[in-house]
Amino acid sequence: MTAQPHHRPQVHSPDRPSRRALLGGAAVAALAVATGTGAASAASAAPRAASWPTEFPLPDGFLPEGITIGAKPYAYMGSRADGAVYRTDLRTGEGRVIHEGGTGLVSVGMKLDHDGLLYIAGSTGVARVLDARTGELVTTHQLTDPTGHFINDVILLGDRAWFTDSRDAVLYGVPRGRRTGGIRALPLVGDWVQTPDVNNANGIVGTPDGRGLIVVSSSPGRLYTVDLKTGHATEIALTGADNVVNGDGLVRIGRTLYVVQNRLNLISVFELGAGATTATLRGTLTDPRFDVPTTAARWGDRLYLVNARFTSPQTPDTTFNAVAVTL
C-alpha cells in the first residue's frame, strides 16, 4: 500500500493556548511517564511517521474492537467475530492474521507488554495471553463465569494486567508474565455506580502517579479513579463537559487523558488535576473517517483507532479499517 497524504483531524478547543501546550511538545515529553518508553524515541519517530499511511484495511467481517501498539511500529487488533488477532506494519499499512482465533472466542481490549506477551480481554469471562511474535496461545485465565459478564478492556500496571468487567462492579488483576493462577478480584466500592443491563466499566488506564487506575463507565458516562488496595472508586469531577457518555477506550499521556466516545465519533481531551480527581476538557478531536471508533493506541504524534462500525451491518462481507489522527 502506498503512503496516504498527511491527514489532520478536525479540532474543537474551548481554550486554544492551553490546548497548544497540552497537545504539543509537552505531550511528547510526557511519554516516558505514560508508557514507560523514552520520550526521545517517540519524538524522533514522529518525523519519520509523517509519510506513513493514516488509514489501512482490515479483513472483511473482522469486527474489530481493540488495538495496541508496543515499542515497535506494529499495531495489534482483535476480532469480535472469532477472537483472531491481526498485526499491521504502521510504516506500510500491510498486515496479516497472526492468531486465527476460533469458534466462540472474542478479542476486544488488548495490551502488549515489553516481553512480547499480548493480554486480551475475552468478553465471556476470560482473559487470554498470546505470544505476539508467534501468535501462539500462552495461557487462558478464567476470571469469572462465562455468562452475565463482559471482560472488556485491560491495562498493564505494576506486576499485574488489570481487566474491566462491563457487567459487574469488579476489576480482575492477572499476574504478568507466563505464570498462571493468583488472580485478584477487586470489587469497586465508594462512588462507583453500577447500572443494570448496560455496559458500565470499559476503558482503563493507570493514574499519572502509577499508584491507581482510571476507569470510564460508558453508561451514564463517568470517570473514576480506583484505589488498587481497597477498590474505592472516586468519581472524577469534570469541568467543561457534563459526562463522557459512550466512553470506550482511554489513552493517557502524562496528565492528558483521551476518551474515545464511540457512537459520538469523537475523542474528548481532558487535563487531569492533581491526584486525578478532576478533569478539565481542553478540546475534542473528530474526523470524517470515524465510524464508531472504539479504542485507540499511540505511536509518535498519532493516535490509531479501529472503526467498529456498530451502526452498520455486522456481516462477513462488512468492510473494516483503522485510521490515524495527528495529535
Side-chain angles (χ1 to χ4, degrees):
M1 175 180 293
T2 56
Q4 303 294 320
H6 183 72
H7 194 96
R8 183 170 294 278
Q10 300 171 22
V11 179
H12 307 280
S13 175
D15 190 344
R16 184 175 299 275
S18 296
R19 182 187 177 276
R20 181 175 299 172
L22 179 66
L23 301 183
V28 174
L31 179 61
V33 175
T35 64
T37 59
S41 62
S44 62
R48 295 196 302 271
S51 61
W52 295 358
T54 61
E55 184 174 348
F56 48 83
L58 292 169
D60 290 353
F62 191 71
L63 276 62
E65 204 279 351
I67 182 171
T68 185
I69 301 170
K72 296 181 179 180
Y74 295 94
Y76 296 80
M77 292 152 284
S79 169
R80 290 176 285 115
D82 56 11
V85 175
Y86 191 86
R87 180 173 62 201
T88 292
D89 188 328
L90 300 180
R91 298 165 295 188
T92 65
E94 298 177 354
R96 65 182 180 90
V97 173
I98 64 164
H99 179 74
E100 295 290 345
T103 302
L105 295 180
V106 174
S107 292
V108 281
M110 53 179 56
K111 287 295 181 295
L112 180 64
D113 209 344
H114 59 82
D115 59 2
L117 294 183
L118 183 62
Y119 294 80
I120 301 174
S123 180
T124 55
V126 302
R128 304 198 319 278
V129 183
L130 303 182
D131 186 323
R133 302 178 185 92
T134 65
E136 295 180 357
L137 178 67
V138 174
T139 189
T140 298
H141 297 279
Q142 190 68 47
L143 304 181
T144 188
D145 294 336
T147 57
H149 297 272
F150 181 15
I151 306 305
N152 199 337
D153 209 348
V154 58
I155 190 66
L156 307 177
L157 185 66
D159 61 353
R160 291 183 182 271
W162 288 96
F163 292 83
T164 57
D165 185 343
S166 293
R167 295 299 175 117
D168 197 6
V170 180
L171 302 179
Y172 295 94
V174 170
R176 291 166 71 172
R178 296 178 179 268
R179 295 172 293 164
T180 60
I183 297 171
R184 182 184 174 197
L186 184 67
L188 297 172
V189 296
D191 294 344
W192 185 266
V193 176
Q194 185 74 15
T195 306
D197 303 321
V198 296
N199 285 340
N200 289 261
N202 198 330
I204 183 171
V205 293
T207 54
D209 63 9
R211 297 178 181 177
L213 298 167
I214 297 174
V215 178
V216 62
S217 179
S218 299
S219 302
R222 295 169 177 166
L223 289 167
Y224 298 88
T225 58
V226 178
D227 187 308
L228 280 173
K229 294 181 180 179
T230 65
H232 188 280
T234 301
E235 185 174 356
I236 298 175
L238 303 182
T239 299
D242 293 331
N243 56 56
V244 285
V245 66
N246 297 133
D248 201 326
L250 301 180
V251 174
R252 183 185 60 75
I253 304 172
R255 292 192 177 275
T256 304
L257 181 69
Y258 298 86
V259 182
V260 181
Q261 293 176 259
N262 52 37
R263 292 177 186 266
L264 300 185
N265 286 314
L266 62 83
I267 305 167
S268 290
V269 186
F270 290 92
E271 181 179 2
L272 296 169
T277 58
T278 63
T280 302
L281 184 68
R282 293 306 188 194
T284 59
L285 304 176
T286 188
D287 190 285
R289 299 169 302 156
F290 285 178
D291 194 349
V292 194
T294 47
T295 56
R298 188 209 183 186
W299 178 267
D301 65 347
R302 290 179 176 180
L303 280 184
Y304 289 83
L305 305 96
V306 289
N307 281 318
R309 307 195 68 194
F310 289 146
T311 58
S312 301
Q314 305 283 284
T315 73
D317 298 321
T318 303
T319 59
F320 292 96
N321 68 349
V323 298
V325 295
T326 303
L327 298 179

